[in-house]
Coordinates of all heavy atoms in Angstrom, one line a residue:
K784 N -23.9 54.3 -13.6 CA -24.6 54.2 -14.9 C -26.0 54.7 -14.7 O -26.5 55.4 -15.6 CB -24.8 52.7 -15.3 CG -25.5 52.5 -16.6 CD -25.5 51.0 -17.0 CE -26.3 50.7 -18.3 NZ -25.7 51.3 -19.4
L785 N -26.7 54.5 -13.6 CA -28.1 54.9 -13.4 C -28.2 55.5 -12.0 O -27.5 55.2 -11.0 CB -29.0 53.8 -13.6 CG -29.0 53.1 -15.0 CD1 -29.9 51.9 -15.0 CD2 -29.6 54.0 -16.0
D786 N -29.3 56.2 -11.7 CA -29.7 56.6 -10.4 C -31.2 56.4 -10.3 O -31.9 56.0 -11.2 CB -29.3 58.0 -10.0 CG -29.8 59.1 -11.1 OD1 -30.7 58.8 -11.8 OD2 -29.1 60.1 -11.1
N787 N -31.8 56.7 -9.1 CA -33.2 56.5 -8.8 C -33.7 55.1 -9.0 O -34.8 54.9 -9.5 CB -34.0 57.5 -9.7 CG -35.4 57.6 -9.2 OD1 -35.8 57.6 -8.0 ND2 -36.4 57.8 -10.2
I788 N -32.8 54.1 -8.7 CA -33.2 52.7 -8.9 C -33.5 52.0 -7.6 O -32.9 52.2 -6.6 CB -31.9 51.9 -9.5 CG1 -31.6 52.6 -10.9 CG2 -32.3 50.4 -9.7 CD1 -32.7 52.6 -11.9
K789 N -34.6 51.2 -7.7 CA -35.0 50.5 -6.4 C -34.8 49.0 -6.5 O -34.7 48.4 -5.4 CB -36.5 50.8 -6.1 CG -37.5 50.3 -7.2 CD -38.9 50.7 -6.8 CE -39.9 50.3 -7.9 NZ -41.3 50.8 -7.5
K790 N -34.7 48.4 -7.7 CA -34.5 47.0 -7.9 C -33.6 46.7 -9.0 O -33.6 47.4 -10.0 CB -35.9 46.3 -8.1 CG -36.8 46.3 -6.9 CD -36.4 45.2 -5.9 CE -37.5 45.2 -4.8 NZ -37.2 44.2 -3.8
I791 N -32.9 45.6 -9.0 CA -32.2 45.0 -10.2 C -32.7 43.6 -10.3 O -32.8 42.9 -9.4 CB -30.6 45.1 -10.0 CG1 -30.1 44.7 -8.6 CG2 -30.1 46.5 -10.4 CD1 -28.6 44.8 -8.6
I792 N -32.9 43.3 -11.6 CA -33.5 42.0 -11.9 C -32.5 41.2 -12.8 O -32.0 41.6 -13.7 CB -34.8 42.2 -12.8 CG1 -35.8 43.1 -12.1 CG2 -35.4 40.9 -13.2 CD1 -37.0 43.4 -13.0
F793 N -32.4 40.0 -12.3 CA -31.5 39.0 -12.9 C -32.2 38.0 -13.7 O -33.1 37.3 -13.2 CB -30.6 38.3 -11.8 CG -29.7 37.2 -12.3 CD1 -28.4 37.4 -12.6 CD2 -30.2 35.9 -12.4 CE1 -27.5 36.4 -13.0 CE2 -29.4 34.9 -12.8 CZ -28.1 35.2 -13.1
L794 N -32.0 37.8 -15.0 CA -32.6 36.8 -15.8 C -31.5 36.0 -16.4 O -30.9 36.4 -17.5 CB -33.4 37.5 -16.9 CG -34.8 38.3 -16.5 CD1 -35.4 38.8 -17.8 CD2 -35.7 37.4 -15.7
S795 N -31.3 34.8 -15.9 CA -30.3 33.8 -16.3 C -29.0 34.3 -16.7 O -28.3 33.6 -17.4 CB -31.0 33.1 -17.6 OG -31.0 34.0 -18.7
G796 N -28.6 35.4 -16.2 CA -27.2 35.9 -16.4 C -27.0 36.7 -17.7 O -26.0 37.5 -17.8
L797 N -27.9 36.5 -18.6 CA -27.8 37.1 -19.9 C -28.3 38.6 -19.9 O -27.7 39.5 -20.5 CB -28.5 36.4 -21.0 CG -27.9 35.0 -21.4 CD1 -28.8 34.3 -22.3 CD2 -26.5 35.2 -22.0
S798 N -29.4 38.8 -19.3 CA -30.1 40.0 -19.2 C -30.3 40.5 -17.7 O -30.8 39.7 -16.9 CB -31.5 40.0 -19.9 OG -31.4 39.5 -21.2
I799 N -29.8 41.7 -17.4 CA -30.0 42.3 -16.2 C -30.6 43.6 -16.3 O -30.2 44.5 -17.1 CB -28.7 42.4 -15.4 CG1 -28.1 41.0 -15.1 CG2 -28.9 43.2 -14.1 CD1 -26.8 41.0 -14.3
F800 N -31.7 43.9 -15.6 CA -32.5 45.1 -15.7 C -32.6 45.8 -14.4 O -32.4 45.1 -13.3 CB -34.0 44.8 -16.2 CG -34.1 44.3 -17.6 CD1 -34.1 42.9 -17.8 CD2 -34.2 45.1 -18.6 CE1 -34.2 42.4 -19.1 CE2 -34.3 44.6 -20.0 CZ -34.3 43.3 -20.2
A801 N -32.9 47.1 -14.4 CA -33.0 47.9 -13.2 C -34.4 48.4 -13.3 O -34.9 48.9 -14.4 CB -32.0 49.0 -13.1
I802 N -35.1 48.6 -12.2 CA -36.4 49.2 -12.1 C -36.2 50.4 -11.3 O -35.8 50.4 -10.1 CB -37.5 48.2 -11.5 CG1 -37.5 46.9 -12.3 CG2 -38.8 48.9 -11.4 CD1 -38.6 45.9 -11.7
S803 N -36.7 51.5 -11.8 CA -36.6 52.8 -11.1 C -37.7 53.0 -10.1 O -38.6 52.2 -10.1 CB -36.6 54.0 -12.1 OG -37.9 54.1 -12.7
N804 N -37.6 54.0 -9.3 CA -38.6 54.2 -8.3 C -40.0 54.6 -8.8 O -41.0 54.4 -8.2 CB -38.1 55.4 -7.3 CG -37.1 54.9 -6.4 OD1 -37.2 53.9 -5.7 ND2 -36.0 55.6 -6.3
D805 N -40.0 55.1 -10.1 CA -41.2 55.3 -10.8 C -41.6 54.2 -11.9 O -42.4 54.5 -12.8 CB -41.2 56.7 -11.4 CG -40.0 57.0 -12.3 OD1 -39.1 56.1 -12.3 OD2 -39.8 58.1 -12.8
N806 N -41.1 53.0 -11.7 CA -41.4 51.8 -12.4 C -41.0 51.9 -13.9 O -41.6 51.4 -14.7 CB -42.9 51.5 -12.3 CG -43.1 50.7 -11.0 OD1 -42.2 50.4 -10.2 ND2 -44.4 50.3 -10.9
V807 N -39.9 52.5 -14.2 CA -39.2 52.5 -15.5 C -38.3 51.3 -15.6 O -37.5 51.1 -14.6 CB -38.5 53.8 -15.9 CG1 -37.8 53.6 -17.2 CG2 -39.5 54.9 -15.9
I808 N -38.4 50.5 -16.6 CA -37.5 49.3 -16.7 C -36.3 49.7 -17.6 O -36.4 50.0 -18.7 CB -38.2 48.1 -17.3 CG1 -39.4 47.7 -16.4 CG2 -37.2 46.9 -17.5 CD1 -40.2 46.6 -17.0
K809 N -35.1 49.7 -17.0 CA -33.9 50.1 -17.7 C -33.0 48.9 -17.9 O -32.8 48.0 -17.1 CB -33.0 51.1 -16.8 CG -33.8 52.3 -16.3 CD -33.6 53.4 -17.3 CE -34.2 54.8 -16.7 NZ -34.0 55.9 -17.6
C810 N -32.4 48.8 -19.1 CA -31.5 47.7 -19.5 C -30.1 48.0 -18.9 O -29.6 49.1 -19.2 CB -31.4 47.5 -21.0 SG -30.4 46.2 -21.5
V811 N -29.5 47.1 -18.2 CA -28.2 47.3 -17.7 C -27.1 46.5 -18.6 O -26.1 47.1 -18.8 CB -28.1 46.8 -16.2 CG1 -26.7 46.9 -15.6 CG2 -29.1 47.5 -15.3
T812 N -27.4 45.3 -18.9 CA -26.5 44.6 -19.7 C -27.2 44.3 -21.0 O -28.3 43.7 -21.1 CB -26.0 43.3 -19.1 OG1 -27.1 42.4 -18.8 CG2 -25.3 43.5 -17.8
G813 N -26.5 44.5 -22.2 CA -27.1 44.3 -23.4 C -28.1 45.4 -23.8 O -28.7 46.0 -22.9
N814 N -28.2 45.6 -25.1 CA -29.2 46.7 -25.5 C -29.7 46.3 -26.9 O -29.4 46.9 -27.9 CB -28.5 48.0 -25.5 CG -29.5 49.2 -25.7 OD1 -30.8 49.0 -25.4 ND2 -29.1 50.3 -26.0
W815 N -30.7 45.3 -26.9 CA -31.2 44.9 -28.2 C -32.6 45.4 -28.4 O -33.2 46.1 -27.5 CB -31.2 43.3 -28.1 CG -30.0 42.7 -27.7 CD1 -28.8 42.6 -28.4 CD2 -29.6 42.2 -26.4 NE1 -27.8 42.0 -27.8 CE2 -28.3 41.7 -26.5 CE3 -30.3 42.0 -25.3 CZ2 -27.6 41.1 -25.4 CZ3 -29.6 41.4 -24.2 CH2 -28.3 41.0 -24.3
E816 N -33.1 45.2 -29.6 CA -34.5 45.7 -29.9 C -35.5 45.1 -28.9 O -36.5 45.8 -28.6 CB -34.8 45.2 -31.3 CG -34.1 46.0 -32.4 CD -34.2 47.5 -32.3 OE1 -35.4 48.0 -32.1 OE2 -33.2 48.2 -32.4
S817 N -35.3 43.9 -28.4 CA -36.2 43.3 -27.5 C -36.2 44.1 -26.1 O -37.2 44.3 -25.4 CB -35.9 41.8 -27.3 OG -34.6 41.7 -26.9
T818 N -35.0 44.5 -25.7 CA -34.9 45.2 -24.4 C -35.4 46.6 -24.6 O -36.0 47.2 -23.7 CB -33.5 45.2 -23.9 OG1 -32.7 45.8 -24.8 CG2 -33.1 43.8 -23.6
K819 N -35.2 47.2 -25.8 CA -35.8 48.6 -26.1 C -37.3 48.5 -26.1 O -38.0 49.4 -25.6 CB -35.3 49.0 -27.4 CG -33.8 49.4 -27.5 CD -33.4 49.8 -28.9 CE -31.9 50.1 -29.0 NZ -31.5 50.4 -30.3
F820 N -37.8 47.4 -26.5 CA -39.3 47.2 -26.5 C -39.8 47.2 -25.0 O -40.9 47.9 -24.8 CB -39.7 45.8 -27.2 CG -41.0 45.3 -26.8 CD1 -42.2 45.8 -27.6 CD2 -41.3 44.4 -25.9 CE1 -43.4 45.4 -27.3 CE2 -42.6 43.9 -25.7 CZ -43.7 44.4 -26.4
L821 N -39.1 46.5 -24.2 CA -39.5 46.5 -22.8 C -39.4 47.9 -22.1 O -40.2 48.3 -21.3 CB -38.7 45.5 -22.0 CG -39.2 45.1 -20.6 CD1 -40.6 44.5 -20.6 CD2 -38.3 44.1 -20.0
N822 N -38.3 48.6 -22.5 CA -38.1 49.9 -21.9 C -39.1 50.9 -22.4 O -39.6 51.8 -21.7 CB -36.7 50.4 -22.3 CG -36.5 51.8 -21.8 OD1 -36.6 52.7 -22.6 ND2 -36.1 52.0 -20.6
A823 N -39.5 50.8 -23.7 CA -40.6 51.6 -24.3 C -40.3 53.1 -24.1 O -41.3 53.8 -23.6 CB -41.9 51.2 -23.7
N824 N -39.1 53.5 -24.4 CA -38.8 55.0 -24.2 C -39.1 55.4 -22.8 O -39.7 56.5 -22.6 CB -39.6 55.8 -25.3 CG -39.2 55.5 -26.7 OD1 -38.0 55.4 -27.0 ND2 -40.1 55.4 -27.5
D825 N -38.6 54.7 -21.9 CA -38.6 55.0 -20.4 C -40.1 55.1 -19.9 O -40.5 56.0 -19.1 CB -37.9 56.4 -20.1 CG -36.4 56.2 -20.2 OD1 -35.9 55.0 -20.1 OD2 -35.7 57.2 -20.3
Y826 N -40.9 54.2 -20.4 CA -42.3 54.1 -20.0 C -42.4 53.7 -18.5 O -41.7 52.9 -18.0 CB -43.1 53.1 -20.8 CG -44.6 53.1 -20.6 CD1 -45.4 53.9 -21.2 CD2 -45.0 52.1 -19.6 CE1 -46.8 53.9 -20.9 CE2 -46.4 52.1 -19.3 CZ -47.2 52.9 -19.9 OH -48.6 52.9 -19.7
K827 N -43.3 54.4 -17.8 CA -43.6 54.1 -16.4 C -44.7 53.1 -16.3 O -45.9 53.5 -16.6 CB -43.9 55.5 -15.7 CG -42.8 56.5 -15.7 CD -43.2 57.8 -15.0 CE -42.1 58.8 -15.1 NZ -42.4 60.1 -14.5
Y828 N -44.4 51.9 -15.9 CA -45.4 50.9 -15.8 C -46.3 50.9 -14.6 O -45.9 51.4 -13.5 CB -44.7 49.5 -15.9 CG -44.2 49.1 -17.3 CD1 -42.9 49.4 -17.6 CD2 -45.1 48.6 -18.2 CE1 -42.4 49.0 -18.9 CE2 -44.6 48.3 -19.5 CZ -43.3 48.5 -19.8 OH -42.8 48.2 -21.0
K829 N -47.5 50.4 -14.8 CA -48.5 50.4 -13.7 C -48.1 49.4 -12.6 O -48.2 49.5 -11.4 CB -49.8 50.1 -14.3 CG -51.0 50.0 -13.3 CD -52.3 49.7 -14.1 CE -53.5 49.6 -13.1 NZ -54.7 49.3 -13.9
K830 N -47.6 48.2 -13.1 CA -47.3 47.1 -12.2 C -46.2 46.2 -12.9 O -46.4 46.0 -14.2 CB -48.5 46.2 -11.7 CG -48.1 45.1 -10.8 CD -49.3 44.3 -10.4 CE -50.2 45.0 -9.4 NZ -51.2 44.2 -8.8
I831 N -45.3 45.7 -12.2 CA -44.2 44.8 -12.8 C -44.2 43.5 -12.0 O -44.0 43.7 -10.7 CB -42.9 45.5 -12.9 CG1 -43.0 46.8 -13.7 CG2 -41.9 44.5 -13.4 CD1 -41.7 47.6 -13.6
L832 N -44.3 42.4 -12.6 CA -44.1 41.1 -11.9 C -42.9 40.5 -12.6 O -42.7 40.4 -13.8 CB -45.3 40.2 -12.1 CG -45.3 38.8 -11.4 CD1 -46.8 38.3 -11.2 CD2 -44.6 37.8 -12.4
Y833 N -42.0 39.9 -11.7 CA -40.8 39.3 -12.4 C -40.3 38.1 -11.6 O -40.5 38.0 -10.3 CB -39.6 40.3 -12.5 CG -39.0 40.8 -11.2 CD1 -37.9 40.2 -10.7 CD2 -39.5 41.9 -10.6 CE1 -37.4 40.7 -9.5 CE2 -39.0 42.5 -9.5 CZ -37.9 41.8 -8.9 OH -37.3 42.4 -7.7
T834 N -39.8 37.1 -12.3 CA -39.2 35.9 -11.7 C -37.8 35.8 -12.3 O -37.4 36.6 -13.1 CB -40.0 34.7 -12.1 OG1 -39.7 34.3 -13.5 CG2 -41.5 34.9 -12.0
P835 N -37.0 34.8 -11.9 CA -35.7 34.6 -12.5 C -35.7 34.3 -14.0 O -34.7 34.2 -14.6 CB -35.1 33.4 -11.7 CG -35.8 33.4 -10.4 CD -37.2 33.9 -10.7
L836 N -36.9 34.0 -14.6 CA -37.0 33.7 -16.0 C -37.8 34.7 -16.9 O -37.7 34.7 -18.1 CB -37.7 32.3 -16.1 CG -36.9 31.1 -15.5 CD1 -37.7 29.9 -15.7 CD2 -35.6 31.0 -16.2
V837 N -38.7 35.5 -16.2 CA -39.6 36.3 -17.1 C -39.9 37.6 -16.3 O -40.0 37.7 -15.1 CB -40.8 35.6 -17.5 CG1 -41.7 35.2 -16.2 CG2 -41.6 36.2 -18.5
I838 N -40.1 38.6 -17.1 CA -40.7 39.9 -16.7 C -42.1 40.1 -17.3 O -42.2 40.0 -18.5 CB -39.8 41.1 -17.0 CG1 -38.4 41.0 -16.3 CG2 -40.4 42.4 -16.6 CD1 -37.5 42.1 -16.7
V839 N -43.1 40.4 -16.5 CA -44.4 40.6 -16.9 C -44.8 42.1 -16.5 O -44.9 42.3 -15.3 CB -45.5 39.6 -16.4 CG1 -46.8 40.0 -16.9 CG2 -45.0 38.2 -16.7
A840 N -44.9 43.0 -17.4 CA -45.1 44.4 -17.1 C -46.5 44.9 -17.7 O -46.8 44.7 -18.8 CB -44.0 45.3 -17.7
L841 N -47.3 45.4 -16.7 CA -48.6 45.9 -17.1 C -48.6 47.4 -17.2 O -48.2 48.1 -16.3 CB -49.6 45.5 -16.0 CG -51.1 46.0 -16.1 CD1 -51.7 45.3 -17.3 CD2 -51.9 45.6 -14.9
N842 N -49.0 47.9 -18.4 CA -48.9 49.3 -18.6 C -50.3 49.9 -18.3 O -51.3 49.3 -18.0 CB -48.5 49.6 -20.0 CG -49.4 49.2 -21.2 OD1 -50.6 49.0 -20.9 ND2 -48.9 48.9 -22.3
Y843 N -50.4 51.3 -18.4 CA -51.6 52.0 -18.1 C -52.7 51.9 -19.2 O -53.8 52.4 -19.0 CB -51.2 53.5 -17.8 CG -50.7 53.6 -16.4 CD1 -49.3 53.6 -16.2 CD2 -51.4 53.8 -15.2 CE1 -48.7 53.7 -15.0 CE2 -50.9 53.9 -14.0 CZ -49.5 53.9 -13.8 OH -48.9 54.0 -12.6
D844 N -52.4 51.3 -20.3 CA -53.4 51.0 -21.3 C -53.9 49.6 -21.0 O -54.7 49.1 -21.9 CB -52.7 51.1 -22.7 CG -52.4 52.4 -23.1 OD1 -53.1 53.4 -22.7 OD2 -51.4 52.6 -23.8
N845 N -53.5 49.0 -19.9 CA -54.0 47.7 -19.5 C -53.6 46.6 -20.5 O -54.2 45.6 -20.6 CB -55.5 47.7 -19.3 CG -56.0 48.4 -18.1 OD1 -55.2 48.7 -17.2 ND2 -57.2 48.9 -18.1
D846 N -52.4 46.8 -21.1 CA -51.8 45.7 -21.9 C -50.5 45.2 -21.2 O -49.9 45.9 -20.4 CB -51.5 46.3 -23.3 CG -52.7 46.7 -24.0 OD1 -53.8 46.1 -23.8 OD2 -52.6 47.6 -24.9
I847 N -50.1 44.0 -21.6 CA -48.9 43.4 -21.0 C -47.8 43.3 -22.0 O -47.9 43.0 -23.1 CB -49.3 42.0 -20.5 CG1 -50.1 42.0 -19.2 CG2 -48.0 41.2 -20.3 CD1 -50.6 40.6 -18.8
R848 N -46.6 43.6 -21.5 CA -45.3 43.4 -22.2 C -44.6 42.3 -21.5 O -44.4 42.4 -20.3 CB -44.5 44.7 -22.4 CG -45.2 45.7 -23.2 CD -44.4 46.8 -23.7 NE -45.0 47.7 -24.7 CZ -44.5 48.4 -25.6 NH1 -43.1 48.4 -25.6 NH2 -45.1 49.1 -26.4
L849 N -44.0 41.4 -22.3 CA -43.3 40.3 -21.8 C -41.9 40.2 -22.2 O -41.6 40.6 -23.3 CB -43.9 38.9 -22.2 CG -45.2 38.4 -21.6 CD1 -45.6 37.2 -22.3 CD2 -44.9 38.0 -20.1
Y850 N -41.0 39.8 -21.3 CA -39.6 39.6 -21.7 C -39.0 38.4 -20.9 O -39.3 38.4 -19.7 CB -38.8 40.8 -21.5 CG -37.3 40.6 -22.0 CD1 -36.9 40.9 -23.3 CD2 -36.3 40.1 -21.1 CE1 -35.6 40.8 -23.7 CE2 -35.0 39.9 -21.5 CZ -34.7 40.3 -22.8 OH -33.4 40.1 -23.2
G851 N -38.3 37.5 -21.5 CA -37.6 36.5 -20.7 C -37.5 35.1 -21.4 O -37.7 35.1 -22.7
T852 N -37.2 34.1 -20.6 CA -37.1 32.8 -21.2 C -38.3 32.0 -21.0 O -38.7 31.7 -19.8 CB -35.9 32.1 -20.4 OG1 -34.7 32.8 -20.6 CG2 -35.7 30.7 -21.0
I853 N -39.1 31.8 -22.0 CA -40.4 31.0 -22.0 C -40.2 29.7 -22.8 O -40.1 29.8 -24.0 CB -41.5 31.9 -22.6 CG1 -41.5 33.2 -21.8 CG2 -42.8 31.2 -22.5 CD1 -42.4 34.2 -22.5
T854 N -40.1 28.6 -22.0 CA -39.9 27.3 -22.6 C -41.0 26.4 -22.4 O -41.5 26.3 -21.2 CB -38.6 26.7 -22.1 OG1 -37.5 27.6 -22.2 CG2 -38.2 25.4 -22.8
D855 N -41.5 25.7 -23.4 CA -42.6 24.7 -23.3 C -43.8 25.4 -22.7 O -44.5 24.7 -21.8 CB -42.2 23.5 -22.5 CG -41.1 22.7 -23.1 OD1 -41.0 22.7 -24.4 OD2 -40.3 22.1 -22.4
Q856 N -44.1 26.6 -23.1 CA -45.2 27.3 -22.5 C -46.0 28.0 -23.7 O -45.4 28.4 -24.7 CB -44.9 28.4 -21.5 CG -44.4 27.7 -20.2 CD -43.8 28.8 -19.2 OE1 -43.1 29.7 -19.6 NE2 -44.2 28.7 -17.9
A857 N -47.3 28.1 -23.6 CA -48.1 28.7 -24.7 C -48.6 30.1 -24.2 O -48.8 30.3 -23.0 CB -49.3 27.8 -25.0
I858 N -48.8 31.0 -25.1 CA -49.4 32.3 -24.8 C -50.5 32.5 -25.7 O -50.4 32.4 -27.0 CB -48.3 33.4 -25.1 CG1 -47.1 33.2 -24.1 CG2 -48.9 34.8 -24.8 CD1 -46.0 34.2 -24.3
D859 N -51.7 32.9 -25.2 CA -52.8 33.4 -26.0 C -52.8 34.8 -26.0 O -52.8 35.6 -25.0 CB -54.1 32.9 -25.3 CG -55.4 33.2 -26.0 OD1 -55.3 34.1 -27.0 OD2 -56.4 32.8 -25.6
S860 N -52.6 35.4 -27.2 CA -52.5 36.9 -27.4 C -53.6 37.6 -26.8 O -53.4 38.8 -26.4 CB -52.4 37.2 -28.9 OG -53.5 36.8 -29.6

Side-chain angles (χ1 to χ4, degrees):
K784 181 178 177 68
L785 300 169
D786 54 23
N787 193 37
I788 301 301
K789 62 181 174 182
K790 294 280 187 181
I791 43 179
I792 302 175
F793 174 94
L794 294 183
S795 69
L797 292 171
S798 302
I799 295 180
F800 294 91
I802 300 179
S803 70
N804 286 308
D805 47 2
N806 277 2
V807 174
I808 300 176
K809 306 265 191 180
C810 179
V811 179
T812 61
N814 191 18
W815 308 284
E816 289 303 314
S817 55
T818 59
K819 292 177 182 178
F820 165 80
L821 191 62
N822 175 262
N824 295 316
D825 286 344
Y826 182 87
K827 299 177 182 179
Y828 285 97
K829 181 179 180 180
K830 180 180 283 190
I831 301 168
L832 180 155
Y833 65 93
T834 77
L836 296 177
V837 67
I838 298 174
V839 181
L841 178 63
N842 65 27
Y843 283 94
D844 292 325
N845 291 336
D846 297 332
I847 286 176
R848 293 195 171 205
L849 280 174
Y850 183 90
T852 303
I853 304 170
T854 306
D855 297 331
Q856 292 174 314
I858 299 176
D859 182 349
S860 61

